[in-house]
Amino acid sequence: MIKKDINQNDILNSELLNIMDYDFIFHEKPINRIKTKPTLENSKSRLYILKSKIENIENCDLKKNASKIVFADGNIESPIMIVGEGPGQKEDELGKPFVGDAGNLLNKMLKAINIERNKTYITNVVNYKPPNNRKPEPNEISRYSEFLKEHISIINPKILILMGSTAMEAMLGSNKKISQERGQWKEVIIKQKNYQTIVTFHPAYLLRKPDQKKFSWEDLKIIREEIDNKNIKI
Ligand code: URA
């Protein structure tokens, strides 16, 4: 009988194979470290949950005084997301953002750079009309900015447009001047993702100060240029 020499390594190897799960070692599929693209269904259900969370907000003066929630409007798969301040009277009646005079101007501004409003996604910092059309208070802006961040992360836009000082404050913090911040690309980080963001004047402000439209036009051209350079399909 031939005596097979079993060396120490063989013993170690066979013991290793016995204690380890063979499938675990050899049959696992690679896992992509880049997360897979969110599906439309997934975005819809996350939006539904977010809307319910806002509907269930407690001790909120905005909600108490408003007639209904104004959540969002537009295409949930849009590469362009626009954030305004909060609903006005008309928005409160119809439950849709930017449907009054400021909305009409917004539509024209988008058209001027060859974008149809319904190809974008539009929301506001606060989702209930502030009483007497007042500006949302800093504590309201900070409370609702958590919802807004979740909203942005669900829509996952390629370009985020912040219209007016309230939207700027919600995403970039207070103590900034819109006249200094507007018209420049900024990176806003939400849930570890960078969003290319630009601040510009709010259409309601432009209605009150039409002489500022020339700056708004500069910003719109910057946005159009980026869409073309990055070949963003809109
Ligand atoms: N102003 C806003 O900021 N949002 C609206 O929806 C309407 C007017």
Side-chain angles (χ1 to χ4, degrees):
M1 198 171 97
I2 303 164
K3 193 170 168 260
K4 201 177 170 220
D5 261 356
I6 301 175
N7 71 27
Q8 201 59 23
N9 275 347
D10 285 338
I11 295 169
L12 275 176
N13 282 342
S14 73
E15 276 178 0
L16 247 181
L17 281 175
N18 280 342
I19 56 166
M20 282 213 170
D21 181 343
Y22 186 85
D23 255 15
F24 172 79
I25 305 168
F26 298 107
H27 291 164
E28 282 291 310
K29 285 207 185 100
I31 295 170
N32 199 342
R33 69 193 278 249
I34 297 162
K35 285 192 189 126
T36 46
K37 256 181 105 183
T39 63
L40 183 59
E41 281 319 304
N42 185 265
S43 303
K44 279 185 189 166
S45 66
R46 285 178 70 195
L47 285 171
Y48 178 82
I49 293 167
L50 175 64
K51 190 172 174 204
S52 313
K53 264 197 223 166
I54 301 171
E55 280 166 336
N56 289 315
I57 193 169
E58 285 178 355
N59 303 319
C60 173
D61 285 345
L62 301 177
K63 180 180 160 187
K64 273 182 213 149
N65 285 285
S67 73
K68 56 170 81 70
I69 187 169
V70 176
F71 186 65
D73 187 33
N75 173 10
I76 71 172
E77 294 184 289
S78 177
I80 304 212
M81 181 167 183
I82 298 168
V83 181
E85 178 176 287
Q89 185 58 38
K90 198 90 182 238
E91 288 77 20
D92 183 67
E93 279 163 25
L94 300 177
K96 255 190 180 193
F98 283 99
V99 286
D101 292 341
N104 287 337
L105 181 56
L106 173 63
N107 299 349
K108 285 186 192 160
M109 288 160 70
L110 293 171
K111 253 222 157 102
I113 52 167
N114 212 12
I115 295 174
E116 294 296 328
R117 171 200 168 109
N118 62 6
K119 301 264 167 70
T120 67
Y121 186 85
I122 304 174
T123 189
N124 283 306
V125 175
V126 300
N127 305 95
Y128 293 101
K129 178 181 92 70
N132 306 319
N133 215 15
R134 68 159 167 77
K135 203 174 144 53
E137 309 272 359
N139 68 315
E140 292 163 342
I141 296 175
S142 103
R143 193 172 183 195
Y144 275 82
S145 71
E146 292 311 309
F147 299 129
L148 178 60
K149 285 178 192 161
E150 171 68 4
H151 213 154
I152 294 166
S153 115
I154 299 169
I155 300 302
N156 194 25
K158 294 211 161 61
I159 289 179
L160 177 64
I161 303 173
L162 304 176
M163 290 192 143
S165 57
T166 300
M168 178 181 72
E169 183 174 334
M171 295 315 304
L172 305 179
S174 50
N175 68 43
K176 296 222 159 43
K177 279 195 153 171
I178 190 160
S179 53
Q180 281 162 15
E181 302 296 325
R182 52 150 282 274
Q184 307 153 36
W185 290 110
K186 297 173 185 300
E187 306 235 306
V188 167
I189 300 172
I190 301 167
K191 298 190 185 193
Q192 296 162 12
K193 189 169 188 275
N194 259 329
Y195 292 91
Q196 202 182 8
T197 304
I198 193 163
V199 177
T200 190
F201 288 137
H202 192 289
Y205 172 77
L206 296 173
L207 287 172
R208 294 192 302 272
K209 301 239 176 212
D211 60 319
Q212 301 294 299
K213 282 185 181 173
K214 53 183 177 287
F215 299 114
S216 166
W217 177 231
E218 292 304 317
D219 301 347
L220 290 169
K221 283 191 290 181
I222 290 170
I223 294 167
R224 183 70 241 183
E225 199 176 78
E226 188 68 7
I227 292 171
D228 294 337
N229 287 346
K230 293 244 167 87
N231 208 11
I232 295 171
K233 298 274 170 283
I234 177 91

Short mmCIF file of all heavy atoms in Angstrom, two decimals, residues 84-86 91 97-98 124 202, ligand 1:
data_model
loop_
_atom_site.label_atom_id
_atom_site.label_comp_id
_atom_site.label_asym_id
_atom_site.label_seq_id
_atom_site.Cartn_x
_atom_site.Cartn_y
_atom_site.Cartn_z
N GLY A 84 -39.87 76.90 -4.95
CA GLY A 84 -40.30 78.27 -4.61
C GLY A 84 -40.40 78.43 -3.11
O GLY A 84 -39.79 77.68 -2.34
N GLU A 85 -41.21 79.40 -2.69
CA GLU A 85 -41.30 79.70 -1.25
C GLU A 85 -42.44 78.92 -0.57
O GLU A 85 -42.21 78.05 0.26
CB GLU A 85 -41.52 81.20 -1.08
CG GLU A 85 -41.66 81.62 0.35
CD GLU A 85 -41.78 83.14 0.47
OE1 GLU A 85 -40.78 83.84 0.28
OE2 GLU A 85 -42.90 83.62 0.75
N GLY A 86 -43.64 79.25 -0.98
CA GLY A 86 -44.81 78.62 -0.38
C GLY A 86 -46.05 79.02 -1.15
O GLY A 86 -46.02 80.00 -1.90
N GLU A 91 -52.92 79.00 -5.16
CA GLU A 91 -52.33 77.67 -4.98
C GLU A 91 -53.08 76.91 -3.90
O GLU A 91 -53.32 75.70 -4.02
CB GLU A 91 -50.84 77.79 -4.61
CG GLU A 91 -49.92 78.24 -5.72
CD GLU A 91 -49.98 79.73 -6.03
OE1 GLU A 91 -50.46 80.50 -5.15
OE2 GLU A 91 -49.57 80.15 -7.12
N PRO A 97 -48.75 74.11 -6.94
CA PRO A 97 -47.84 75.25 -6.82
C PRO A 97 -47.80 76.11 -8.08
O PRO A 97 -48.03 75.60 -9.19
CB PRO A 97 -46.48 74.60 -6.58
CG PRO A 97 -46.58 73.25 -7.18
CD PRO A 97 -48.02 72.84 -7.07
N PHE A 98 -47.52 77.37 -7.90
CA PHE A 98 -47.28 78.31 -9.01
C PHE A 98 -48.40 78.30 -10.06
O PHE A 98 -48.15 78.02 -11.23
CB PHE A 98 -45.93 78.03 -9.66
CG PHE A 98 -44.76 78.56 -8.85
CD1 PHE A 98 -44.02 77.72 -8.02
CD2 PHE A 98 -44.42 79.90 -8.90
CE1 PHE A 98 -42.95 78.22 -7.27
CE2 PHE A 98 -43.35 80.40 -8.14
CZ PHE A 98 -42.62 79.56 -7.34
N ASN A 124 -42.42 73.71 -3.34
CA ASN A 124 -42.13 74.88 -2.51
C ASN A 124 -41.43 74.44 -1.23
O ASN A 124 -41.46 73.26 -0.88
CB ASN A 124 -43.44 75.57 -2.11
CG ASN A 124 -44.03 76.38 -3.24
OD1 ASN A 124 -43.37 77.23 -3.83
ND2 ASN A 124 -45.28 76.10 -3.57
N HIS A 202 -37.07 85.11 -7.33
CA HIS A 202 -38.41 84.53 -7.35
C HIS A 202 -39.29 85.34 -8.33
O HIS A 202 -39.20 86.57 -8.36
CB HIS A 202 -39.00 84.61 -5.94
CG HIS A 202 -40.23 83.81 -5.76
ND1 HIS A 202 -41.43 84.16 -6.34
CD2 HIS A 202 -40.45 82.66 -5.08
CE1 HIS A 202 -42.35 83.26 -6.01
NE2 HIS A 202 -41.77 82.33 -5.26
N1 URA B 1 -45.02 81.59 -4.81
C1 URA B 1 -44.33 80.48 -4.45
O1 URA B 1 -43.24 80.55 -3.93
N2 URA B 1 -44.89 79.32 -4.68
C2 URA B 1 -46.08 79.18 -5.24
O2 URA B 1 -46.51 78.05 -5.40
C3 URA B 1 -46.76 80.36 -5.63
C4 URA B 1 -46.21 81.54 -5.40
#
